[in-house]
Amino acid sequence: MTETATTKEPNREPIKASEIDPKFKYELSRMHGSEKILRCFQCGTCTSDCPVARYSETYRPRTIIRMAQLGLRDRVLNSDTLWLCAACFTCTDRCPQDIEVASVIRVLRNLAAEKGCVPIVFKEQAASVLESGYAYKIPDLRIKKRETQGLPPLPKGNPESIRKTLKGVKFLENVEKKGEQQ
Amino acid sequence: MSSKYLIFLGCAIPYRVSSYEISARKVLAKLGVELVEMPEFNCCGLPLDPVSHEMMLILAARNLALAEQRGLNIMALCPGCAGTLKKVNKILKEDKALREQINGHLKEAGLEFKGTVTTKHLMQVLIEDVGLEKIKSAVVKPLTTLKVAEHNGCHILRPKEYIGFDDPEDPQTLKTLIEATGATCLDYMDETECCGAPSVGVSDKVALQLARDKLNHVKMVDAQALITICPFCHIMYDTNELRIEKMFNEAYGIPILHYPQLLGLAMGMSPDELAFNELRVNASKLLTQVTEGAK
């Protein structure tokens, strides 16, 4: 996923009845983090307080919540703007309906990731955790330099134990299967 | 009161912000906080939350379970790690079904989450364990000529339901800690705004615009440095300051210091000890002023 992809206009075509999945909002309201999505009355506090919305022409948390409530499953999950949230949790703390907006966005991202719609950076981080226990590949130079800086050795982690605990995690099947793409 | 913690480094600090680790360890050692290394810790899980909440929960619970085995509480330098470990601890303690599900995963590696340890961020350890009085009495070279600004970042404060530390709308702790060094902490516009770091890689343009506005506001009040307590915020301003200057045709020259670097100076440590040489934005002007001020 590139920068130009995220600035692409979201799908503003008129909504067709066939695109609507009326059960989507109920499905979301049973998931950890998006339980309270039905409470949203579109006041717009989330968008007006969102630091990303201030600079992005396309990212609007209120719009995402409304699309999810309407059941526009594919439009939401295929939308690149979903990935712009900086997870600062300002919307969550200020929502008058206590919706945990950032967590709803996170649930939607998880669903998008399960179907393979995910920026490459996240696949790289997941792969790195499986390999080393760290989300970034820490350069050998850095590890060696610690000694000269008077720092204790970097925790080696235990990738084998990590992989054992992560057995059966859906997203990882995706990383292994589709890791080559994008 | 003596305090002892397992130190949790996370990923960003060993990856590119060793100056934070070096200065934090120096300052804590002098203030009597004992740090224990934990070779089996892994990523806190936060970077993977966007793609798999389950994976985040397992990774975080694994760290907590390891700390439980050692019978020690955790101190994290990164607010993202601290926040994640706090949040997962609370979620799993309250939700039995989820706890059983996650423990099913941990069992594969012979581990179990019980919910018996707590996690604190460095700043919390400083204010709650060491205490303001002890910090003040450790200051031997008050930085009275310095005027700086603070940047708390988001995850040290939000979501407040899970973090429960300070007031996210008007945070005071970092200001108080800065003023304990003798420096003046200036107010500026949009102080509590996000640095933009999490958007890097998805849209650099949005992320850098956020950081630029913060730097503009810091410059407006003539702050001589911006003080951070998060490796990501530090990368966002320090590593990217020159890039932002070029991209938007601005000139800042504002050094970005980790709070323990500032405190260390006031405690009489040398800039070399505190890894000032690792900073991208040159802090020599500020350092000269500090040394001359102390004479």
Side-chain angles (χ1 to χ4, degrees), chain A residues 6-87:
Chain A
T6 61
T7 53
K8 191 177 70 185
E9 267 294 300
N11 188 350
R12 299 272 187 214
E13 293 286 305
I15 299 164
K16 295 192 191 85
S18 58
E19 298 182 58
I20 292 176
D21 175 354
K23 293 206 172 122
F24 190 45
K25 61 186 174 197
Y26 301 115
E27 197 183 307
L28 292 171
S29 65
R30 284 190 300 272
M31 295 177 80
H32 184 64
S34 52
E35 295 93 337
K36 292 173 272 187
I37 187 168
L38 297 177
R39 289 190 195 171
C40 174
F41 52 40
Q42 292 284 295
C43 70
T45 302
C46 51
T47 293
S48 59
D49 285 345
C50 174
V52 172
R54 196 183 291 178
Y55 302 95
S56 161
E57 283 160 22
T58 54
Y59 179 74
R60 301 288 181 266
R62 170 167 66 171
T63 309
I64 293 174
I65 301 287
R66 189 64 184 141
M67 285 166 82
Q69 281 184 328
L70 284 173
L72 297 170
R73 182 196 289 264
D74 289 341
R75 283 200 200 199
V76 176
L77 300 187
N78 294 337
S79 151
D80 292 325
T81 57
L82 201 54
W83 297 95
L84 276 170
C85 166

Side-chain angles (χ1 to χ4, degrees), chain A residues 3 32 54-55 84 86-88 93-94 106 109-110 133 135-136 142 145-146 149 157-158 161 165 167, chain B residues 11 15 21 39-40 43 49-51 53 62 105 154-155 158 160 169 190 193 198-199 205 213 232 278:
Chain A
E3 197 172 310
H32 184 64
R54 196 183 291 178
Y55 302 95
L84 276 170
C88 72
D93 277 354
R94 293 187 185 160
R106 189 261 302 151
R109 284 172 161 187
N110 277 201
Y136 312 107
R142 279 270 176 192
K145 201 179 167 192
R146 292 180 65 85
Q149 289 172 314
N158 187 341
S161 144
T165 61
K167 221 187 289 169
Chain B
C11 306
Y15 181 52
E21 185 187 347
E40 288 221 321
C43 167
D49 196 31
V51 288
H53 190 54
R62 183 179 177 276
H105 282 275
C154 305
H155 293 162
R158 298 184 192 280
K160 64 178 172 225
E169 301 295 341
D190 289 337
E193 196 99 328
S199 297
K205 204 176 137 206
D213 267 17
F232 287 98
E278 297 264 320

Side-chain angles (χ1 to χ4, degrees), chain B residues 83-94:
Chain B
T84 303
L85 297 175
K86 277 184 198 184
K87 190 171 167 178
V88 172
N89 197 48
K90 188 171 190 280
I91 292 173
L92 295 185
K93 272 169 89 165
E94 287 169 4

Side-chain angles (χ1 to χ4, degrees), chain B residues 31 125-127 130-140 177 180-181 259 263 267:
Chain B
L31 291 171
V125 170
L126 287 173
I127 201 84
V130 178
L132 208 53
E133 286 317 305
K134 189 167 175 186
I135 293 172
K136 278 183 185 163
S137 60
V139 169
V140 291
L177 286 170
T181 68
Y259 176 72
L263 179 59
M267 286 166 70

Side-chain angles (χ1 to χ4, degrees), chain A residues 97-108:
Chain A
Q97 291 290 83
D98 194 24
I99 288 171
E100 296 190 49
V101 185
S103 301
V104 178
I105 307 269
R106 189 261 302 151
V107 170
L108 294 169

